[in-house]
């Protein structure tokens, strides 16, 4: 893949990728931007391994998802609830997403697998097969993650009202 072609493909996917990561990071805009930047860099370095007959966005989201998982795995500092709320509040205001705070908090209560499946399937419009390719899970596992995630979100959001 040429550098120019990569830039064209990234330009088309940049905003949807950021929305996905912002939701995956539960509204933490700075973390989402950091992960997006790292994922795009990794994708650029691996651009020659991309196979053209596959969907570019699926390949890119797989890299972004793995980058997020690596970040969570490597992260040795845990935010306290107060710190997490402060980070969320400032990022949400900065991103103009304050109205979604309740949803972000509900998403944060999901496991990373459930949250990822929900976001890719409902927010990004990927098929179950594509979600399975991105996460590296089987299609049946993705269906279970979607089912559990919907149930957990419904319970969390209905209890918050």
């Amino acid at each position: 893949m040429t550098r120019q072609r990569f830039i064209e493909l990234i330009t088309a996917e940049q905003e949807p990728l950021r929305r996905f990561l912002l939701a995956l990071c539960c509204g933490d805009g700075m973390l989402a931007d950091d992960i997006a930047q790292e994922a795009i860099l990794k994708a650029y370095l691996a651009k020659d391994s991309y196979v053209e007959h596959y969907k570019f966005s699926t390949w890119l989201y797989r890299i972004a998802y793995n980058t997020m998982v690596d970040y969570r795995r490597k992260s040795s500092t845990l935010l306290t609830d107060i710190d997490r709320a402060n980070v969320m509040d400032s990022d949400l205001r900065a991103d103009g997403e304050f109205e979604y705070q309740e949803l972000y908090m509900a998403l944060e209560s999901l496991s990373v697998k459930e949250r990822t499946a929900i976001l890719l399937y409902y927010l990004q419009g990927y098929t179950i097969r594509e979600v399975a390719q991105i996460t590296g899970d089987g299609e049946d596992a993705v269906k279970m993650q979607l089912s559990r995630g919907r149930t957990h979100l419904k319970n969390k959001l209905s209890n918050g009202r």
Side-chain angles (χ1 to χ4, degrees):
M1 172 186 311
T2 67
R3 181 177 184 268
Q4 185 58 40
R5 179 69 177 138
F6 180 83
I7 291 170
E8 291 168 4
L9 292 170
I10 285 295
T11 300
E13 292 299 325
Q14 197 167 1
E15 282 305 311
L17 178 67
R18 186 178 186 286
R19 277 193 310 271
F20 165 68
L21 288 171
L22 183 64
L24 190 61
C25 295
C26 301
D28 186 339
M30 290 189 302
L31 177 59
D33 288 343
D34 287 347
I35 291 173
Q37 185 175 9
E38 187 175 339
I40 290 170
L41 177 62
K42 286 179 179 180
Y44 181 75
L45 294 174
K47 70 181 173 33
D48 293 331
S49 69
Y50 170 66
V51 180
E52 287 285 335
H53 73 271
Y54 291 113
K55 198 171 176 183
F56 179 79
S57 61
T58 302
W59 179 75
L60 179 62
Y61 278 62
R62 172 82 179 179
I63 293 170
Y65 173 75
N66 286 337
T67 302
M68 176 65 174
V69 169
D70 288 345
Y71 170 80
R72 295 273 187 210
R73 200 175 293 137
K74 291 176 186 175
S75 179
S76 59
T77 58
L78 297 174
L79 294 175
T80 65
D81 289 342
I82 293 171
D83 290 337
R84 183 177 294 127
N86 289 339
V87 167
M88 249 179 113
D89 285 347
S90 65
D91 285 344
L92 289 172
R93 267 188 250 110
D95 287 334
E97 301 288 339
F98 187 74
E99 63 188 301
Y100 299 114
Q101 183 177 13
E102 185 179 359
L103 177 60
Y104 286 144
M105 291 174 69
L107 284 168
E108 190 172 28
S109 71
L110 301 178
S111 72
V112 173
K113 291 276 190 182
E114 289 173 355
R115 185 181 328 141
T116 302
I118 292 283
L119 294 172
L120 288 172
Y121 186 76
Y122 291 106
L123 182 67
Q124 301 301 122
Y126 284 100
T127 65
I128 289 174
R129 173 174 282 157
E130 291 169 327
V131 173
Q133 289 172 344
I134 291 169
T135 61
D137 295 327
E139 290 181 35
D140 288 339
V142 170
K143 290 176 187 176
M144 184 61 73
Q145 292 159 4
L146 287 169
S147 176
R148 288 181 180 160
R150 282 189 303 263
T151 301
H152 291 143
L153 275 178
K154 180 180 175 185
N155 290 340
K156 185 73 173 177
L157 290 171
S158 64
N159 288 338
R161 296 180 190 252

